Amino acid sequence: MNFKVPRGTQDILPDVSWKWQRVEKIARSICDVYNYKEIRTPIFEQTELFQRTVGDTTDIVQKEMYTFTDRGDRSMTLRPEGTAPVVRSFVEHKMFGYADQPVKLYYTGPMFRYERQQAGRYRQFVQFGVESIGSADPAIDAEVIELAMNIYKKTGLSDIKLVLNSLGDKESRDAHREALIAHFSPRIEEFCSDCQNRLEKNPLRILDCKVDREHPLMTTAPSLADYLNEESSAYFEKVKNYLNIAGIEYEYDPNLVRGLDYYNHTAFEIMSTSKGFGAITTLCGGGRYNGLAEEIGGPPAPGIGFALSIERLLLALEAEGKSFTDEPSLDVYLVTLGDAAREKGFEILSKLRDNGLRSEMDYMDRKMKAQMKSADRLQANHVIVIGEDEVNENVVQLKNMADGEQKKVAVDELMGELKK
């Protein structure tokens, strides 16, 4: 049978996976500087968790989730996003009782959504996300946004912009909701069936519709900015002030609507402005989700976070011509000639690796010329040659591949010579 990778997924091969590791290492190191600690949650959760938190009127819940019934007749779903599982874990393990608040977490791993595959968008994709739970301070909003921006900057991206909006508190959103219903109701039959279903349940989702985005009522829809109460407006101004203090530039977009129902107050996206990137420019999205912990049975624990796509970050780097090119090279490649030399080489190889040196040797019984070509392909910094004479004398031939210098070195002195 001719098996192939499932549609909407991809194999990350060795000549590319090191780039993923580089990005993840940068993101982890920045989280460490900001005192965020890693959390790992299951790859599937109870379906109701996502229905209650993401929202049953969203495209994710209605069309995109991979849901199955397990052998205990329980409905389970492969996680389509990372925030709900993290908040579930926060509540279940009573992290709200930790002495140090807010609880600052990050995660990385595969997410799953059934949607049409296109550049940078897969049915299985990898997100790196950050969540800060337990504080309603607008300064933590600015910290989370700054952290996200720094990940992109440290990877080398420069053609990016931050877009910001406030979704307001419940009072503001309720007032805006009524205005949207009044606005769309007279002509709702002109919209798609999804929008018609959303009118009463969640009219804000209409503004995020991909089918009817060009409908004239979209451009004249009531703006949430006009319905922000005094408290919500004051909160948003404080967030912007902290971003100004940190020297972070942003664009205000009153039409920015995130695709998940749990967002309120601060909402943001980081986008690529590179001309060669493509039509879908969003690299990262996030925002505040006060009330999410209570929704799943926990105490009040206001939170904010973001998730970024590793796939799209790498595409953005390529679009800017800044893709990683410095693939890690070998420290040492061992060329062995004959059975006795192979045994001696294997002994030396173990010692090299014990000392943290990236090392390799030939396992294909190839001629010396072919082994040297392999050392070149692997960009080895040094080559150790061992033949019958070297075994008898307990020495090796050590060649510096940068300048071509080669010298005889006693095996007992080899490690010290390499450390030079």
Side-chain angles (χ1 to χ4, degrees), residues 215-235:
H215 194 285
L217 284 187
M218 289 294 202
T219 58
T220 59
S223 172
L224 180 55
D226 296 329
Y227 292 86
L228 293 182
N229 58 23
E230 185 176 343
E231 181 182 350
S232 295
S233 295
Y235 189 93

Side-chain angles (χ1 to χ4, degrees), residues 241-308:
N241 182 55
Y242 280 115
L243 291 174
N244 292 332
I245 291 172
I248 299 173
E249 296 181 357
Y250 58 85
E251 292 183 11
Y252 168 57
D253 181 0
N255 297 316
L256 174 64
V257 178
R258 297 294 302 140
L260 310 176
D261 281 0
Y262 52 63
Y263 284 119
N264 47 60
H265 284 296
T266 309
F268 67 93
E269 291 185 355
I270 299 173
M271 302 178 176
S272 171
T273 58
S274 178
K275 292 181 179 179
F277 185 63
I280 302 175
T281 60
T282 301
L283 301 174
C284 165
R288 182 162 279 283
Y289 45 83
N290 300 350
L292 184 57
E294 296 98 303
E295 180 67 26
I296 58 176
I304 183 169
F306 70 82
L308 63 85

Side-chain angles (χ1 to χ4, degrees), residues 112-131:
F112 303 85
R113 296 183 192 176
Y114 188 87
E115 55 184 342
R116 185 171 61 87
Q117 180 179 342
Q118 48 191 304
R121 179 168 287 181
Y122 298 90
R123 293 176 179 176
Q124 176 178 319
F125 53 98
V126 178
Q127 284 187 342
F128 189 96
V130 159
E131 314 292 349

Side-chain angles (χ1 to χ4, degrees), residues 147-160:
L147 193 161
M149 292 291 285
N150 278 338
I151 289 176
Y152 289 112
K153 291 176 181 177
K154 292 293 184 182
T155 56
L157 280 180
S158 57
D159 296 343
I160 57 174

